[in-house]
């Protein structure tokens, strides 16, 4: 049975509904619930670039100061473009795999990320075909965990900024109590089952985040002479680099937006050309990341926080306004990010649960309540924003951005006699090696640092 989906990408929206509105089109699922057909408004190059930029620049942008602290001024400036190039290359491989899968799937114009993985394995070498459904579930699991992490990180971001404002204005309550205060306002819109009631706030959320960033950097430049570059580390190593990798990947993780945005374009072929939407937007995003991280680390050094808004002097009225507006921007993005997670979890629950089939709305509202409480609980026990970002980036974002696209490329090349040349083999193995090292070291170091915080 077909279904009509709408999409709006605020930061890193991953489900079909969000991605749909991002591209400004409506996508209707195929008769069997696989793939989609494009209809409605088609976006221009500029519109697609704007949506991709919005979807890629979010809470991770405010963590760039911490990213540069862990990578060093020179190290992070060199490594961020390298990571960006790797991300773009893997996104190109995903696009190629999706195009080939669509060509071999009758009646389908578009496949999202999980479906592309499923179809690539389904049409791949015979021994891998039985893994197609499993690989789709793996991708959906990583997407779901990533969204869950985003939601928990949002709670921490909002709480830390509001806590400083409360303390400055004589409201002496604990961090946990501040987080509890934010729970009810965050939960009410999250219980809504229709995206059209939620998505209008995303534009205001992005404006608030952009205002927060500009105001924060303005204050950083105007707060006296900048410290000497010699006072900051140019390079780091070991555990700090592992944390840098996780934060960088978290910030760049927007790969699930690529396919729906490309499909929404009036001229999809312009998306992935040399100077097309993808390359141009990633260049601008990387430049913004480097500028923000460089300035933040030079200004605040080793004291730079997981969100640079936390480094603003609380006594200043403008700084308090910036903290509140940035917290509001993230708060308004929470229900949309939460919507993405539910859209991944809900279908299998509905198919396998008789109660969910009989009382779908009641069951889904209960599920939303439970999941909202779970994100709140995780945020409560892991209050360090920077460590949480590194953990989610190293564990989930690396798999989605690097590992899965490389596996898709291997499967596609294996379908062609002598398709996997020496260069392709070496290149893919190199990407996998970097990804595995990042996953292992980044996840391990993030967990170690989180355990230290508990102690």
């Amino acid at each position: 049975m077909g279904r009509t989906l709408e999409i709006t990408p605020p930061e890193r929206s991953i489900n079909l509904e969000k991605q749909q509105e991002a591209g400004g089109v409506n996508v209707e699922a195929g008769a069997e619930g696989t793939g989609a057909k494009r209809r409605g408004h088609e976006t221009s190059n500029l519109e697609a670039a704007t949506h991709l930029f919005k979807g890629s620049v979010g809470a991770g942008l405010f963590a760039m100061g911490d990213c540069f602290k862990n990578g060093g001024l020179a190290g992070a400036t060199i490594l961020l473009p390298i990571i960006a190039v790797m991300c773009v290359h893997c996104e190109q491989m995903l696009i190629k795999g999706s195009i080939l899968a669509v060509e071999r799937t009758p009646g389908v114009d578009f496949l999202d990320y999980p479906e592309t993985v499923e179809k690539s394995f389904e049409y791949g070498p015979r021994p891998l075909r039985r893994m197609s459904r499993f690989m789709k579930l793996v991708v959906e699991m990583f997407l779901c965990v990533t969204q869950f992490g985003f939601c928990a990180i949002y709670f921490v971001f909002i709480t830390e900024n509001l806590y400083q404002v409360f303390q400055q204005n004589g409201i002496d309550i604990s961090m946990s109590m501040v987080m509890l205060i934010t729970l009810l306002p965050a939960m009410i819109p999250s219980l809504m089952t229709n995206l059209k009631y939620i998505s209008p706030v995303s534009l205001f959320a992005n404006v608030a985040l952009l205002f927060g960033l500009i105001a924060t950097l303005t204050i950083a430049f105007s707060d006296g002479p900048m410290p000497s570059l010699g006072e900051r580390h140019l390079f780091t190593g070991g555990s700090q680099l592992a944390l840098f990798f996780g934060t960088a990947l978290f910030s760049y993780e927007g790969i699930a937006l690529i396919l729906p945005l490309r499909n929404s374009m009036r001229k999809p072929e312009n998306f992935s050309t040399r100077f097309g939407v993808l390359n141009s937007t990633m260049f601008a995003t990387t430049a913004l990341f480097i500028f923000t991280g460089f300035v933040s680390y030079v200004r605040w050094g080793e004291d730079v926080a997981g969100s640079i808004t936390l480094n603003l002097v609380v006594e200043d009225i403008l700084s308090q306004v910036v903290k509140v507006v940035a917290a509001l921007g993230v708060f308004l993005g929470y229900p949309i990010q939460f919507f993405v997670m539910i859209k991944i979890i809900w279908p299998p629950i509905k198919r396998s649960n008789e109660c969910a089939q009989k009382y779908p709305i009641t069951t889904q509202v209960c599920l939303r309540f439970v999941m909202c409480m779970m994100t709140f609980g995780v945020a409560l026990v892991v209050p360090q924003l920077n460590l949480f970002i590194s953990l989610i980036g190293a564990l989930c974002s690396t798999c989605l951005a690097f590992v899965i696209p490389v596996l898709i490329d291997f499967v596609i090349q294996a379908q062609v006699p002598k398709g996997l040349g020496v260069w392709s083999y070496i290149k893919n193995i190199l990407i996998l090696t970097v990804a595995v090292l990042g996953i292992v070291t980044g996840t391990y170091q993030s967990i170690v640092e989180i355990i230290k915080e508990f102690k």
Side-chain angles (χ1 to χ4, degrees), residues 70-71 235-245 437-438 441-442 444-446 449:
N70 289 320
F235 297 94
T236 60
S239 60
Q240 281 190 289
L241 271 182
L243 294 176
F244 160 82
F245 185 83
L437 285 174
T441 59
Y444 171 78
Q445 191 59 38
S446 297
E449 296 296 329

Side-chain angles (χ1 to χ4, degrees), residues 96-293:
K96 177 182 176 182
S98 181
I99 292 174
L100 293 176
V102 168
E103 289 176 352
R104 301 183 65 175
T105 306
V108 170
D109 293 337
F110 164 69
L111 293 171
D112 66 2
Y113 194 171
E115 291 167 347
T116 295
V117 175
E118 181 184 30
K119 291 300 180 182
S120 296
F121 275 79
E122 185 177 315
Y123 300 139
R126 190 174 299 275
L128 299 179
R129 293 176 186 175
R130 65 183 65 183
M131 297 176 59
S132 60
R133 179 61 184 167
F134 170 76
M135 290 303 299
K136 179 183 179 182
L137 291 175
V138 168
V139 173
E140 289 178 334
M141 180 190 71
F142 278 125
L143 291 174
C144 185
V145 172
T146 301
Q147 289 305 115
F148 184 93
F150 288 162
C151 291
I153 287 169
Y154 279 16
F155 265 122
V156 179
F157 184 96
I158 296 167
T159 300
E160 289 186 340
N161 282 276
L162 292 183
Y163 175 76
Q164 288 188 347
V165 175
F166 285 162
Q167 291 293 308
Q168 177 59 30
N169 288 275
I171 305 176
D172 190 15
I173 56 178
S174 66
M175 187 89 74
S176 300
M177 184 57 66
V178 176
M179 190 176 293
L180 186 61
I181 292 173
T182 66
L183 175 60
L184 184 60
M187 178 177 290
I188 292 176
S190 299
L191 296 179
M192 297 179 183
T193 58
N194 195 323
L195 184 64
K196 71 179 181 180
Y197 300 121
I198 303 173
S199 58
V201 303
S202 69
L203 177 60
F204 183 80
N206 286 310
V207 171
L209 287 174
L210 187 59
F211 168 80
L213 174 66
I214 295 174
T216 301
L217 293 180
T218 301
I219 294 173
F221 276 113
S222 60
D223 191 21
M226 295 289 282
S228 169
L229 299 184
E231 300 177 25
R232 306 293 180 242
H233 295 296
L234 295 180
F235 297 94
T236 60
S239 60
Q240 281 190 289
L241 271 182
L243 294 176
F244 160 82
F245 185 83
T247 304
L249 259 294
F250 174 90
S251 303
Y252 273 119
E253 217 306 294
I255 191 169
L257 284 173
I258 299 303
L259 296 180
L261 285 177
R262 180 185 181 277
N263 181 71
S264 74
M265 291 179 61
R266 191 175 300 116
K267 296 181 179 180
E269 64 275 9
N270 291 343
F271 186 83
S272 51
T273 57
R274 177 175 297 181
F275 299 104
V277 171
L278 178 59
N279 290 348
S280 301
T281 305
M282 286 297 287
F283 177 83
T285 301
T286 302
L288 182 60
F289 282 169
I290 292 175
F291 180 75
T292 302

